[in-house]
Amino acid sequence: MTQRWDVFCKVVDNFGDIGVCWRLARQLQSEHQLDIRLWVDDLQVAQRLIPSLTLAATEQRVDGIRVMHWCADADFSDAADMVIEAFACGLPPAYIAAMQQQQSRWVNLEYLTAETWAEDFHAKTSPQANGMVRHFYFPGFTQATGGLIRERHIPPVLHPPAKQAVNACKVSLFCYPHAPIISLLSAIAEGKQPVHCYVPSTTILPQVADFFGKTSLQVGQMVSHGALTVEVLPFLSQADYDQLLTRCDINFVRGEDSWVRAIWAGKPFIWQPYLQEEGAHIPKLKAFLAQHYQSMPITALNVSQAMHMAWQDTAFQASVWDDYLAAWSSINAATQEASRTLFSQTDLASKLVIFCNNL
């Protein structure tokens, strides 16, 4: 009999939460033959990634997944065998009551981090006052964690490292609006190497338009200044975005979903973690850089760290961009090696299924 799983997703950070949950739900359904319901509280945001969603529907089927609108008047009386609470989103009290009746298993899927404490807390339990047990599942970059989302169709990075950066550098730009976007574009424009920058239509588009002295930019439009040419892309599906990452030489990514996809693309990337109070995101960044680029030569590592830290600042120095381009070959080789190392580990969905079946 097919196992029934429910995945609960509360949209907090625009596309990050739903992006991870939608990928996971599809993989669990297609590769592990599970009956999946995805509960989403904001269908309007979800529709950007799942265009065929009908906003007025309380229940609908998309790509084999039953998408449920998580709203106040939803029917929470039918709990699944396995319940995934994504990112501590909190489950409806009525649904938790149904879980008690069903004797459902309960797992909280945590945010991805490279910090070493994730290994200590992965797979730990939290007994609840109602007698149920909540299990904590930490994705991660080591065998002692829950792994990374990676579908079977993703190929390993096999091509040899390039010996030097290409003449016409292709860059993708996906970031949070508080990033030093204007100073980055200025640094690229003032540089000697021509850069073609692809910018999907997101909340940063007004700042890009402002850099070029435009009131707005439209999808399909191309604008140039100095060494920089920007091409505005539509908001991309996950599959199209993954393709963009593999075609570019440098990728600016953010949050969790695009971060992991940049790893599988095997191209040099600059990650912007989600902004947290009191700079709590900076240790997350430093832990990832230390873990991911263990094989990188020290000079290239210093350049990569300087680039990442500048991208978290309020301004971006042109010299940081120039240094990164000069070290691109070494960074590229180390990025590919790190991707191959992670590819040898078991993916998150597979490890999650094993973990849940053993509860």
Side-chain angles (χ1 to χ4, degrees):
M1 183 177 178
T2 303
Q3 284 189 7
R4 295 174 57 238
W5 284 38
D6 277 358
V7 179
F8 279 81
C9 173
K10 184 171 290 185
V11 177
V12 177
D13 170 30
N14 288 324
F15 312 111
D17 305 282
I18 182 59
V20 171
C21 292
W22 180 237
R23 286 192 195 270
L24 178 62
R26 285 188 299 168
Q27 188 179 4
L28 290 172
Q29 188 273 334
S30 63
E31 297 182 11
H32 298 276
Q33 293 74 53
L34 299 173
D35 180 9
I36 304 294
R37 289 193 305 185
L38 175 61
W39 292 85
V40 186
D41 68 332
D42 192 334
L43 293 182
Q44 190 165 7
V45 171
Q47 192 184 49
R48 299 293 302 276
L49 290 177
I50 316 171
S52 58
L53 273 185
T54 301
L55 298 182
T58 56
E59 178 179 352
Q60 56 197 297
R61 189 174 290 273
V62 182
D63 293 347
I65 309 297
R66 283 187 291 165
V67 181
M68 316 292 292
H69 187 198
W70 179 1
C71 56
D73 57 352
D75 181 3
F76 294 119
S77 62
D78 183 23
D81 305 306
M82 188 69 241
V83 180
I84 306 298
E85 178 191 356
F87 315 125
C89 61
L91 300 178
Y95 188 86
I96 293 177
M99 289 170 63
Q100 290 180 273
Q101 294 294 323
Q102 178 66 22
Q103 296 185 328
S104 305
R105 290 159 289 168
W106 183 1
V107 170
N108 182 66
L109 176 66
E110 294 285 351
Y111 286 106
L112 174 63
T113 181
E115 293 169 292
T116 54
W117 57 259
E119 293 185 352
D120 298 327
F121 286 92
H122 176 60
K124 292 295 188 291
T125 60
S126 175
Q128 304 295 295
N130 61 6
M132 299 188 68
V133 177
R134 190 169 175 236
H135 304 264
F136 293 94
Y137 192 93
F138 279 83
F141 300 89
T142 67
Q143 297 282 11
T145 62
L148 301 173
I149 292 180
R150 188 188 73 247
E151 300 87 346
R152 291 174 185 168
H153 65 78
I154 296 179
V157 176
L158 297 176
H159 51 85
K163 298 194 180 299
Q164 59 184 9
V166 291
N167 291 328
C169 184
K170 295 180 180 178
V171 174
S172 73
L173 180 58
F174 179 50
C175 63
Y176 296 114
H178 65 266
I181 297 168
I182 299 296
S183 52
L184 170 67
L185 298 179
S186 297
I188 296 175
E190 294 167 6
K192 296 180 180 179
Q193 183 166 1
V195 171
H196 194 106
C197 182
Y198 298 93
V199 182
S201 180
T202 62
T203 54
I204 71 168
L205 211 52
Q207 294 187 64
V208 178
D210 185 57
F211 172 78
F212 288 99
K214 307 277 187 182
T215 55
S216 64
L217 289 174
Q218 305 302 318
V219 171
Q221 192 170 354
M222 276 199 284
V223 285
S224 298
H225 178 64
L228 171 66
T229 297
V230 164
E231 181 176 348
V232 182
L233 302 179
F235 186 86
L236 301 174
S237 68
Q238 289 182 321
D240 288 340
Y241 181 72
D242 294 349
Q243 287 289 326
L244 175 66
L245 293 176
T246 63
R247 292 197 301 266
C248 288
D249 305 298
I250 300 172
N251 295 303
F252 286 82
V253 294
R254 72 178 211 189
E256 182 167 329
D257 186 48
S258 61
W259 175 25
V260 174
R261 308 322 279 194
I263 291 172
W264 302 135
K267 300 294 185 67
F269 62 90
I270 297 89
W271 173 49
Q272 182 189 22
Y274 184 71
L275 183 66
Q276 293 181 285
E277 293 182 359
E278 300 181 355
H281 58 293
I282 299 300
K284 294 177 183 289
L285 173 61
K286 291 181 176 179
F288 170 68
L289 293 174
Q291 194 281 333
H292 196 61
Y293 292 121
Q294 299 178 48
S295 63
M296 184 180 287
I298 186 63
T299 301
L301 178 60
N302 290 337
V303 169
S304 181
Q305 289 176 332
M307 168 66 93
H308 277 85
M309 294 310 297
W311 192 230
Q312 316 309 314
D313 208 341
T314 55
F316 190 96
Q317 301 299 319
S319 59
V320 175
W321 175 252
D322 294 336
D323 291 345
Y324 194 84
L325 290 181
W328 183 89
S329 182
S330 294
I331 296 172
N332 185 48
T335 301
Q336 293 184 359
E337 180 60 30
S339 177
R340 283 190 287 267
T341 299
L342 288 172
F343 195 93
S344 67
Q345 300 180 13
T346 305
D347 69 278
L348 185 148
S350 297
K351 293 186 78 169
L352 180 61
V353 169
I354 294 171
F355 175 78
C356 292
N357 286 340
N358 288 334
L359 291 180

